[in-house]
Amino acid sequence: MNSKWYLGFMVLLVAVGIIAQFYFSFASIIVLVLVLCLSFGNEIYRRKGKLDKNQEAVDLLKRKDLRLTEEWKQITNSNENMAYIYQVFSSTIKSFQNSIKEIKRLANVVNETASESSEISKSMTAVNLAVSQGAQEQASDAENSSRTTSDLSDQVEQMLIAIDNMDQEIKSLQSLKEQGNVKLSNTIDSSNVTKEELTHVIQQVEKLKASVNEINRTIGVINDIAGQTNLLSLNASIEAARAGESGKGFAVVSNEIRKLSDQSFSSVEEIEKIIADVNKEFSLVVDSIQVTYEKFEVQQETIEQVNTSFDQIDSTIYSLSSRQGEIRKQMGALDRSRASIMHAITNIAAVAQETAASTEEAASLSMQQEQSNQALFDLSNTLEDVVAKVGETVDNYQVDQENQRTKKMGFVSNLHKEHPFTKEMVSNARKMAQKYGYEFVDKHINNNQVKEQIEAIEHLVKEGIDYLILIPADIDKLAPIVNELAEKQIQTICIDSDIPNCKRVSYIGTDNYEAGKNIGELILKTVQGRGKVLVSATNIEAHNLSQRFKGLQEVLKGNGEKEIVAVQSGINDYHDRLKDIEKAYNKHNDINIMVGLDGDFGNVISNHKFPKEQEITFIGFDNNPDNIVHLNDGLLEAVVAQRQMLFGEMAVKQFSRKDAGKQIKESELLNTYVINQSNAKVLAKA
C-alpha cells in the first residue's frame, strides 16, 4: 500500500470516528480508536519490515551479489517491485557479461582479421608493385619491339625493292639467255653443216686414196708389162743375133723396145716415188682430218652440253621467276603481318601502360587498405581497452551463469593429415570456424578407405557435432550416412567431390568437367604435332575425376593428332602407381604425353625412369607446394590448378549463413587456372 492510499484510509477513519460520536456510545468510540491504533501500528511495522528488506537488497547489491540466494528469494517474495527490479537488473548484468565476452572475442577476431588483412595488403602491395614493374618493363619491351618491328618493316621494304631489282635482272638474264640460245642454235646448225662437209671431204679423200691405190695397182701392171717387154726385147735381141744380117732390123727394134722398157721402169719408179709421197701426204691429211673430226665431235658434244645447260638455265630462270613471285607474295603477307604486329604491339604497349597505371593505383589502394587495417587494428585495441574497463565493473557482479553450448563443426578428409591438397584447406577452415565462434575438429584417413571415413564420422557424431564438412571417398556408400546425419539434425556440406543424391545442404568444389577441358586445351597448346596420351588418376571412377576425364576426352576427340592410348587408375601408393604407369608405357612406348588428374601425380612421376631419348611432356593437376617445386625443377610442364584452399572456409561461411537464417546456394563451383614453369617462379617467391 502506498502513502496516498494510506493517508486516504486514515482520513476515512477520522471521519468515521467523528460520525460515531453522534450515533454510538463511548465504548464504540473506544473500540474504534483501538482499531485505528492497531491499523496504524501495523502499517508502521510493515513499513519498518519493508525498510529492512530494502536495506538487505542494498547490502547485497553493494556486495555485487546477484545470485538467487535465500536472501534474494525472501526479498523478492516480500516485494513485487523489488522482485521485478532484481529480475531485470540481474538479467541485464548476465546479458551484459555475455555481451562483454562476445565483444572481447569479436575484438580478438577483428584484431586477427585486421592483422591477416594487413599482411595480405602488404603482399598485394608487393605483388601489385611487381606487376606494375613488370607492366612497365613490358611496355618498354613493347616499345623496343615496335622500333625493331619498324626496322624490320624498313628491311622488308628494302627487300621488296631488291626483289623488284632482281626481277629486272632476271628479265635481262632471260633476254640474254634467249639471244644466247639463238646464237648457239646458229652455231649448232653451222657445226652440223661443217660436220657434213668434213665428212664429205673425208669421204672424197678416202676415194682419192682408193684411186691412188688403183694407180699403184696400174703401175704394177705397167711394171709387169715393162718387165715382160724387157724380156721380150732380150729374146728379140737373141733371136736377131741368131738371124744375122736379116735380123739386124729386128735387133734395132728390140733395142728400142728395151730402151722403152727401161724408160718405163724409170718412169714407174718415179711414179712410185710420187705415189709414195702422195700416199704419205694422204695419210697425213687423213690423220689430220681424223683428229680434226674427233675434236669437232668433242666440240659438238660441248656445244650440245652448253645447249643443255642453256635449257637448264632457262628452266632455272623460269623457276626463279616463279619463286620470285611467290617470294613477293610472301613478303607482301609478311608486310601485312608486320602491320598487324605493329598494331598489336601498339595495343600491348598501351595495355601495359594502362596495366602499370592500374597496378600502381591498386598498390596505392593496397597501401590505403593497409592503413585502414592498421586503423581498424588500433580501434579494435581501443575497443578492447574500453570493453576491459567496462568488464571490470560488470564482471564484479556475481550472477547465476547459464552454460552456453558452442556449436561444433567436424571436418572429415579422404586423405592423410599432412597431404598437400588438404593441409592449407583444413587450416583455413579452422581459422574461419574460430572467427565465427565454432569449435572445429578434423579427422583424416590414411588409405582413402571409405570404411575408415565412416568410422571417423561416427566418432564425431558421438562427440556431438552440429555440422559436417566432408570430402567423400565413396559416393554410394556415404549417401545413406549423410541422410542419417540429416535425420539427427546434423547438416553436411560436401567439398571437392559431391554426393548429389542425398540430403547434404550444399556442395563446394571445382567445375571438374570444365577443368578436364582446360587440361585438353593445355595439351593442344603445349605439345606440338602428334601425341599419344597416358592419363593417370587415383580412381577414375570417382565423380570428380570421372568428370575431368570426360572433359579431357571431349577436347581430344575432335583433334586427330592427339589421342588417349592408355588410362592408369586404382592405385594410391606412389611406388606401386609408378610401376603401373611404367607398365602402361612399356606397352605403348610411343607415349609422349602423360597427364595426371589428381594432385599426387607430380610426386608419383618424380622418380620415373623412362628412356632419356624419349621426350615426355608431364602435365599435372592442383596448386600445391610439391607441384610448384616440380614446375620449377622442370619436371612438370604445367598444371591445371583448382582453388581448393578456399573450399573449407567457404563451407564454414555457408553454415554461418544458415545459422543466421539466410538462404545458401545448393552448389558453388569454382573455376580452374593454368600454372606453367614461368609463373610458377612467381608463386614460389610468394
Side-chain angles (χ1 to χ4, degrees):
M1 181 180 294
N2 58 35
S3 57
K4 291 182 179 180
W5 280 101
Y6 177 73
L7 181 60
F9 179 72
M10 293 300 296
V11 171
L12 179 61
L13 288 179
V14 172
V16 171
I18 293 172
I19 293 170
Q21 288 182 345
F22 294 99
Y23 297 99
F24 298 100
S25 63
F26 180 74
S28 298
I29 293 173
I30 294 299
V31 171
L32 180 59
V33 171
L34 288 174
V35 169
L36 289 174
C37 290
L38 287 172
S39 297
F40 183 73
N42 181 60
E43 179 62 22
I44 292 173
Y45 176 78
R46 189 178 66 79
R47 277 179 169 266
K48 185 176 181 304
K50 275 188 175 184
L51 292 174
D52 291 341
K53 293 297 181 183
N54 289 342
Q55 187 61 45
E56 290 180 15
V58 170
D59 292 339
L60 289 172
L61 289 175
K62 287 181 179 180
R63 295 202 304 268
K64 301 185 183 303
D65 187 356
L66 292 176
R67 294 173 296 174
L68 190 58
T69 58
E70 190 63 31
E71 295 171 294
W72 273 116
K73 288 180 181 179
Q74 292 178 4
I75 293 170
T76 54
N77 288 334
S78 64
N79 191 326
E80 294 180 358
N81 292 332
M82 188 59 68
Y84 176 77
I85 292 172
Y86 170 77
Q87 182 181 0
V88 172
F89 188 63
S90 62
S91 62
T92 300
I93 292 297
K94 288 179 185 179
S95 178
F96 208 174
Q97 287 181 345
N98 291 332
S99 297
I100 290 295
K101 291 178 181 177
E102 184 64 15
I103 291 172
K104 286 182 178 179
R105 189 189 72 79
L106 291 176
N108 288 329
V109 171
V110 170
N111 271 337
E112 293 175 3
T113 305
S115 179
E116 293 174 2
S117 181
S118 180
E119 292 298 322
I120 293 172
S121 296
K122 290 179 182 178
S123 299
M124 288 178 62
T125 301
V127 169
N128 286 327
L129 290 175
V131 172
S132 176
Q133 182 179 359
Q136 290 175 352
E137 292 175 356
Q138 184 182 21
S140 176
D141 291 341
E143 291 176 359
N144 292 333
S145 299
S146 179
R147 288 192 291 271
T148 303
T149 307
S150 180
D151 294 339
L152 177 63
S153 175
D154 295 337
Q155 293 175 5
V156 169
E157 291 178 0
Q158 293 298 322
M159 189 175 292
L160 287 172
I161 294 172
I163 289 173
D164 290 335
N165 294 332
M166 187 189 298
D167 190 37
Q168 296 297 324
E169 294 296 331
I170 288 172
K171 289 179 180 179
S172 299
L173 182 60
Q174 283 178 329
S175 177
L176 292 174
K177 180 269 303 178
E178 291 173 357
Q179 295 176 10
N181 278 342
V182 172
K183 292 180 180 180
L184 184 62
S185 178
N186 294 333
T187 301
I188 291 173
D189 292 340
S190 177
S191 296
N192 289 332
V193 172
T194 303
K195 182 179 179 181
E196 291 176 358
E197 291 178 352
L198 188 59
T199 302
H200 181 70
V201 169
I202 292 173
Q203 291 174 351
Q204 293 298 322
V205 170
E206 289 294 333
K207 289 180 180 180
L208 184 60
K209 188 176 182 181
S211 298
V212 171
N213 289 333
E214 289 295 330
I215 292 173
N216 277 333
R217 284 193 297 272
T218 303
I219 290 173
V221 172
I222 294 171
N223 199 24
D224 290 340
I225 294 172
Q228 291 295 329
T229 301
N230 190 30
L231 183 61
L232 180 62
S233 173
L234 182 61
N235 288 333
S237 293
I238 292 172
E239 289 299 328
R242 285 179 181 176
E245 287 296 329
S246 58
K248 284 183 180 179
F250 188 74
V252 173
V253 172
S254 64
N255 200 23
E256 290 296 329
I257 291 173
R258 186 175 65 250
K259 289 180 180 178
L260 181 61
S261 175
D262 289 339
Q263 288 178 355
S264 296
F265 274 122
S266 178
S267 298
V268 167
E269 287 178 359
E270 289 295 330
I271 292 171
E272 283 181 346
K273 288 181 181 178
I274 293 170
I275 290 175
D277 291 337
V278 169
N279 278 335
K280 186 176 180 181
E281 291 296 329
F282 268 132
S283 296
L284 292 173
V285 169
V286 169
D287 290 342
S288 178
I289 291 172
Q290 188 66 37
V291 170
T292 302
Y293 185 80
E294 290 175 356
K295 290 181 179 179
F296 185 77
E297 284 186 338
V298 172
Q299 183 181 6
Q300 194 169 27
E301 289 178 0
T302 303
I303 290 173
E304 290 177 355
Q305 291 176 358
V306 170
N307 187 44
T308 303
S309 298
F310 264 99
D311 290 337
Q312 292 177 349
I313 289 171
D314 188 42
S315 175
T316 303
I317 290 173
Y318 178 78
S319 175
L320 182 61
S321 180
S322 300
R323 291 183 180 177
Q324 183 266 349
E326 290 296 326
I327 292 172
R328 176 179 288 277
K329 290 180 182 179
Q330 295 296 328
M331 291 303 296
L334 181 60
D335 189 54
R336 290 190 295 273
S337 299
R338 185 268 315 164
S340 299
I341 292 172
M342 284 286 292
H343 180 70
I345 290 176
T346 302
N347 289 339
I348 290 172
V351 171
Q353 292 288 1
E354 291 177 2
T355 302
S358 299
T359 49
E360 285 290 351
E361 182 66 20
S364 299
L365 292 174
S366 298
M367 294 177 184
Q368 289 179 0
Q369 184 181 6
E370 185 179 351
Q371 296 301 320
S372 298
N373 290 331
Q374 188 61 46
L376 179 63
F377 187 78
D378 295 339
L379 291 173
S380 177
N381 288 332
T382 303
L383 177 63
E384 281 187 335
D385 294 339
V386 172
V387 170
K389 291 177 181 178
V390 174
E392 288 177 0
T393 302
V394 176
D395 288 341
N396 290 330
Y397 286 95
Q398 302 178 54
V399 294
D400 295 320
Q401 294 290 343
E402 297 177 359
N403 292 326
Q404 292 184 340
R405 179 179 173 274
T406 302
K407 289 187 176 181
K408 182 180 290 187
M409 189 175 293
F411 186 112
V412 177
S413 173
N414 62 341
L415 301 168
H416 63 81
K417 187 175 182 65
E418 296 298 319
H419 195 283
F421 179 75
T422 54
K423 187 175 181 180
E424 187 176 0
M425 182 197 304
V426 174
S427 176
N428 291 341
R430 179 181 292 107
K431 291 177 182 177
M432 189 61 66
Q434 291 172 350
K435 290 178 181 178
Y436 280 103
Y438 296 112
E439 183 180 351
F440 186 87
V441 182
D442 56 292
K443 298 288 183 182
H444 303 265
I445 60 179
N446 295 320
N447 297 312
N448 199 25
Q449 297 295 323
V450 66
K451 180 180 179 181
E452 189 178 357
Q453 197 172 44
I454 292 173
E455 291 175 353
I457 294 172
E458 291 174 346
H459 182 75
L460 287 176
V461 171
K462 290 179 181 178
E463 289 184 0
I465 60 171
D466 300 280
Y467 307 108
L468 175 65
I469 302 172
L470 176 65
I471 305 178
D474 187 290
I475 294 175
D476 296 330
K477 293 181 180 179
L478 286 170
I481 302 297
V482 173
N483 291 336
E484 291 177 8
L485 293 177
E487 293 177 359
K488 296 177 181 178
Q489 303 303 313
I490 299 175
Q491 298 173 345
T492 302
I493 291 180
C494 294
I495 61 174
D496 186 49
S497 184
D498 193 16
I499 309 177
N501 299 318
C502 71
K503 296 181 180 179
R504 53 98 174 131
V505 296
S506 183
Y507 165 61
I508 299 171
T510 298
D511 190 335
N512 287 295
Y513 183 77
E514 287 298 323
K517 292 179 69 175
N518 285 349
I519 296 173
E521 295 293 340
L522 179 59
I523 291 174
L524 298 181
K525 292 178 182 177
T526 304
V527 182
Q528 303 298 323
R530 301 192 63 83
K532 304 290 184 180
V533 183
L534 179 146
V535 179
S536 176
T538 50
N539 180 13
I540 202 73
E541 300 299 325
H543 182 262
N544 56 341
L545 298 179
S546 66
Q547 288 297 307
R548 292 173 198 168
F549 187 58
K550 288 179 181 178
L552 172 60
Q553 286 179 309
E554 178 67 22
V555 173
L556 295 188
K557 75 177 182 180
N559 186 286
E561 292 190 341
K562 310 289 190 305
E563 61 175 329
I564 298 173
V565 297
V567 177
Q568 182 278 323
S569 174
I571 300 175
N572 294 315
D573 180 76
Y574 286 2
H575 177 73
D576 294 340
R577 183 174 172 185
L578 178 59
K579 289 178 63 178
D580 203 35
I581 292 174
E582 291 173 344
K583 181 180 178 182
Y585 172 77
N586 292 330
K587 187 177 180 180
H588 304 275
N589 55 15
D590 57 347
I591 290 172
N592 60 343
I593 306 169
M594 293 192 183
V595 177
L597 300 182
D598 58 88
D600 291 338
F601 178 72
N603 288 333
V604 171
I605 53 95
S606 61
N607 295 315
H608 74 83
K609 296 180 180 178
F610 301 111
K612 293 183 179 179
E613 61 273 10
Q614 178 69 30
E615 292 187 4
I616 301 176
T617 299
F618 297 104
I619 295 176
F621 195 85
D622 277 336
N623 175 12
N624 59 54
D626 292 341
N627 278 345
I628 300 301
V629 171
H630 297 321
L631 281 167
N632 288 321
D633 290 343
L635 173 64
L636 293 175
E637 183 71 22
V639 299
V640 173
Q642 54 183 340
R643 307 178 193 276
Q644 74 274 4
M645 67 287 296
L646 302 176
F647 293 169
E649 60 183 83
M650 289 177 68
V652 174
K653 290 179 181 177
Q654 290 283 54
F655 282 132
S656 175
R657 287 179 60 85
K658 196 165 183 64
D659 274 346
K662 298 179 181 179
Q663 190 71 25
I664 66 172
K665 296 180 181 179
E666 184 178 352
S667 65
E668 286 194 63
L669 300 180
L670 306 182
N671 62 348
T672 54
Y673 59 99
V674 175
I675 305 174
N676 54 33
Q677 293 179 358
S678 298
N679 54 28
K681 293 181 175 61
V682 178
L683 293 176
K685 292 178 182 178

